[in-house]
Amino acid sequence: MPSTHMSAPAPAARSAHDARTAAGVVEAVGGGLAQRLNAALLPLLAEADLLDSPAIWGSVTTPAGAFRLEPVRPGRDLELLTGWMNDPEVAAYWELAGPAAVTAAHLRAQLDGDGRSIPCLGLLDGTPMSYWEIYRADLDPLSGHYPARPHDTGIHLLIGDGTNRGRGLGTALLRAVADLVLGNRPRCTRVVAEPDIRNTPSVSAFLNSGFRCSAEIDLPEKRAALMIRERVLRNLL
């Protein structure tokens, strides 16, 4: 199961909207007002820099079409995601097969958190066809297994429809999402991932999309390939 960040409980949740609003207030009025901010607003400002919302990251053009991320809404997306999690190829690594309550609990652990992990649908030309988790790897238990840097951003993914697997689409989408992260998170110098070392197609897709295998690491639930894509090599690989 790829979601190592689920093993650590997140602090009490605050509204991501409030966090973005707080950040926007300071940006709009300038630094002078920052000295007069109510103390209760300061934690919101800190949270505003966790990940913000991939919903505002825009889209990127891929060889297969326009791709964008949209944060999951359980009321709208749970049935779709449950179906994907029960696909045998997906269940072998995500280990979330079962009734909708299993998938709902997995989503809720992130949605009720502080914003350090955001579950998203991947839309290709407007059609949901993949699931992604964008998370702060440096604030995740994963950081205890490699030399993390501030603002390292991690990704988990699955291609939901079997007809979209095995034809290079994963490679294109991984490059697209890494570009979205690096393009919208200027303090992030690296995008990281930790696919199961047994998942050869996934590891190959990362390698073909500009990631390098930095190490093999032992996580509580799997032996993983630590994949890293560096900002400084973004236009070279």
Side-chain angles (χ1 to χ4, degrees):
M1 180 174 172
S3 299
T4 57
H5 59 279
M6 306 313 297
S7 61
R14 294 187 180 91
S15 165
H17 171 76
D18 290 344
R20 291 193 293 275
T21 299
V25 167
V26 174
E27 183 179 359
V29 300
L33 182 61
Q35 298 177 357
R36 303 194 298 275
L37 285 173
N38 186 297
L41 202 56
L42 296 180
L44 296 179
L45 292 173
E47 288 182 9
D49 192 44
L50 278 171
L51 282 170
D52 294 315
S53 176
I56 62 173
W57 288 0
S59 64
V60 60
T61 300
T62 77
F67 181 84
R68 65 183 176 89
L69 294 171
E70 182 174 306
V72 165
R73 290 188 235 163
R76 178 194 64 188
D77 305 324
L78 182 57
E79 182 178 356
L80 176 65
L81 291 173
T82 299
W84 290 351
M85 293 300 180
N86 279 278
D87 182 303
E89 290 187 40
V90 172
Y93 297 104
W94 282 76
E95 300 179 359
L96 291 173
V102 175
T103 300
H106 180 79
L107 297 173
R108 187 55 56 195
Q110 298 172 79
L111 296 172
D112 286 350
D114 63 357
R116 70 182 64 191
S117 180
I118 300 178
C120 297
L121 288 179
L123 279 67
L124 189 62
D125 286 337
T127 299
M129 46 71 64
S130 54
Y131 171 72
W132 301 75
E133 292 172 353
I134 313 297
Y135 67 98
R136 281 287 297 271
D138 60 322
L139 303 179
D140 185 89
L142 176 64
S143 64
H145 298 271
Y146 82 104
R149 296 179 189 170
H151 297 278
D152 275 359
T153 302
I155 56 177
H156 299 137
L157 79 150
L158 66 87
I159 305 296
D161 186 343
T163 62
N164 286 319
R165 300 178 199 140
R167 55 189 184 92
L169 187 56
T171 295
L173 298 187
L174 280 168
R175 183 177 293 276
V177 170
D179 284 342
L180 283 171
V181 171
L182 295 172
N184 288 279
R185 306 205 67 243
R187 286 200 272 178
C188 170
T189 63
R190 304 187 302 181
V191 181
V192 305
E194 19 76 38
D196 193 306
I197 197 70
R198 299 169 300 161
N199 192 346
T200 304
S202 179
V203 173
S204 296
F206 277 103
L207 291 173
N208 291 331
S209 59
F211 286 76
R212 62 180 174 86
C213 184
S214 174
E216 292 186 16
I217 55 177
D218 289 311
L219 301 178
E221 72 283 8
K222 65 185 178 185
R223 183 162 181 79
L226 178 66
M227 312 300 296
I228 296 178
R229 186 174 181 201
E230 305 270 0
R231 175 183 292 278
V232 295
L233 301 177
R234 180 181 179 187
N235 297 321
L236 300 177
L237 297 174

